Amino acid sequence: MAEFMTETKQHATGETRSGGPGEEPAPPGPRERRGPGADAGTGPLDGQEAPALLERTRSLVDPELRAAVESLPGPMRRIALYHFGWQQADGTPAAGSAGKAIRPALVLAAATALGGPGARAAAVRAAAAVELIHNFTLLHDDVMDRDTTRRHRPTAWTVFGVPDAILAGNALQALALRLLAEDPHPASGPAAARLADCVVELCAGQHTDTAMEQRAPDEVTLDEVLAMAEAKTGALLGCACALGALYAGAGEEEVAALDAFGRQAGLAFQLIDDVIGIWGDPRRTGKPAGADLAVRKKSLPVVAALVSGTPAAAELAELYGKPYVATESGDDGELARTALAVEQAGGRDWAQAEAADRMGRAMQELARAVPAPDSAGGLLALAEFVTRRSS
């Protein structure tokens, strides 16, 4: 376990960073697995384990998702199919990406870790419900954040309008709860209650995030933004793991430990996501370079930089204190200057070190929930994947 945690820290603080301002984190590379599973005949981790898990998840979950979405009334069905990448805006078929499927993969990996393949098969509907909730939040977040691009094409609200995008998101939330309500599995009731509680927490986190954007740069603390990130991102990853445990028939302590594992991994995920939001390559992220900085988003690296007390922090506060105005020539010099101030104030280094620390905490919680190392392989692979991604 100690060796795995050490290597996880190296990934979050070193290998995810290519070195210079404006450069994206390096993509995952091949290496050998260390720690849990290393001596259990699991073989080398060649960088393909998590992608294979995600691909397998899509093959299992997408039919449930498609069936649920196809049950929607025409206008909302069209928007949802577009959002998932299955149709073009005009209704013609598309072969776009429906997302990475990290959250449903966590549901299935947790069920497998504690209950084996049978529990995984039983948890497919729960995994689809979690993915529907995730996409409900994406549709609404894009509206509230005024994001114009997702998954390399225009966001739903820019194509269909704000009211219809919001309504489609509401419909996806209802579909998620209906999937669980109709599931005869004995865990479906507790799972539905847990997922509903998670949605309330997500909404509270989003409210905090929105309110935070109205406050001056020097009025936001690091503890506040960490708590907000746990509610907005960690809560759903934790819920996904907990639902998998419920469908495996796990006890209360195991469910709580897997929830905590997902929350800590979710914070690591958000930290890396915020790094990518500043320094990621638009060709890989599908979003404009420096989009978070342009809207003066108080992301984790930015707040860490703002509270650092350095000269660069003062410069960053001055930049964040006024709206960003794009130049007619398309010169992004101000965004580059802002990104450099975040880096010089230590925001990037802090975020990567904090991601490593959160992954260490996640590994401790995972060891409590799944004592047998050879059973934790899928969850470990997914946790590593979310901290080594580049888009």
Side-chain angles (χ1 to χ4, degrees):
M1 177 67 73
E3 290 182 1
F4 178 84
M5 289 165 61
T6 298
E7 293 201 2
T8 299
K9 182 173 183 178
Q10 292 171 349
H11 298 154
T13 60
E15 293 181 14
T16 56
R17 178 178 173 183
S18 55
E23 295 179 18
E24 67 166 333
R31 72 175 187 90
E32 290 185 354
R33 180 199 296 275
R34 306 292 296 177
D39 301 317
T42 54
L45 179 58
D46 60 2
Q48 297 304 310
E49 183 171 344
L53 282 171
L54 296 173
E55 184 176 353
R56 189 181 312 132
T57 296
R58 288 251 77 107
S59 69
L60 292 170
V61 172
D62 275 3
E64 286 281 355
L65 281 176
R66 289 294 294 257
V69 170
E70 291 286 356
S71 73
L72 290 173
M76 283 180 285
R77 179 172 67 246
R78 181 181 174 190
I79 297 167
L81 288 170
Y82 172 84
H83 170 76
F84 277 105
W86 296 327
Q87 279 189 5
Q88 305 289 2
D90 62 4
T92 57
S97 169
K100 296 181 180 68
I102 290 169
R103 291 155 190 82
L106 285 170
V107 176
L108 300 185
T112 304
L114 292 172
R120 178 181 63 203
V124 168
R125 187 172 292 185
V130 168
E131 186 71 343
L132 286 167
I133 291 295
H134 174 53
N135 282 276
F136 138 68
T137 68
L138 295 183
L139 281 162
H140 285 199
D141 282 358
D142 286 343
V143 171
M144 286 182 276
D145 296 341
R146 313 308 285 179
D147 284 339
T148 58
T149 306
R150 180 173 294 282
R151 297 167 184 162
H152 305 278
R153 63 179 186 163
T155 47
W157 72 269
T158 66
V159 176
F160 301 100
V162 169
D164 283 355
I166 291 174
L167 290 171
N170 293 343
L172 294 187
Q173 180 188 6
L175 287 179
L177 295 176
R178 189 178 76 185
L179 277 180
L180 293 176
E182 295 176 348
D183 190 352
H185 194 283
S188 63
R194 197 172 194 105
L195 191 58
D197 286 342
C198 179
V199 170
V200 173
E201 187 173 358
L202 291 170
C203 292
Q206 180 65 22
H207 176 269
T208 300
D209 189 22
T210 302
M212 204 174 285
E213 296 307 310
Q214 308 305 314
R215 293 161 60 185
D218 59 353
E219 293 178 352
V220 177
T221 69
L222 202 48
D223 285 343
E224 283 181 302
V225 78
L226 279 168
M228 178 271 294
E230 179 177 346
K232 276 194 63 174
T233 303
L236 189 54
L237 269 70
C239 183
C241 295
L243 261 58
L246 286 171
Y247 270 74
E252 186 176 331
E253 289 187 8
E254 293 167 313
V255 173
L258 275 186
D259 184 277
F261 160 76
R263 284 174 178 270
Q264 294 298 331
L267 273 173
F269 177 100
Q270 187 60 56
L271 285 153
I272 298 303
D273 191 68
D274 284 354
V275 169
I276 293 169
I278 299 173
W279 294 282
D281 184 344
R283 293 169 298 180
R284 303 190 67 154
T285 65
K287 294 185 177 182
D292 287 354
L293 299 179
V295 298
R296 303 310 193 216
K297 184 176 178 62
K298 295 181 181 70
S299 63
L300 287 158
V302 166
V303 175
L306 285 168
V307 301
S308 67
T310 63
E315 180 185 8
L316 179 62
E318 181 181 351
L319 288 165
Y320 255 56
K322 58 183 180 181
Y324 166 73
V325 179
T327 61
E328 292 183 4
S329 64
D331 179 15
D332 287 332
E334 183 178 322
L335 288 183
R337 180 183 164 201
T338 307
L340 182 60
V342 176
E343 181 147 16
Q344 290 179 335
R348 185 173 185 170
D349 286 340
W350 173 86
Q352 291 173 323
E354 184 71 12
D357 178 65
R358 296 295 175 168
M359 282 305 301
R361 299 186 198 187
M363 294 305 103
Q364 292 173 348
E365 297 292 348
L366 181 58
R368 285 202 306 123
V370 190
D374 56 338
S375 298
L379 289 167
L380 288 172
L382 292 169
E384 183 181 50
F385 176 80
V386 301
T387 59
R388 285 169 53 83
R389 64 199 186 91
S390 58
S391 62

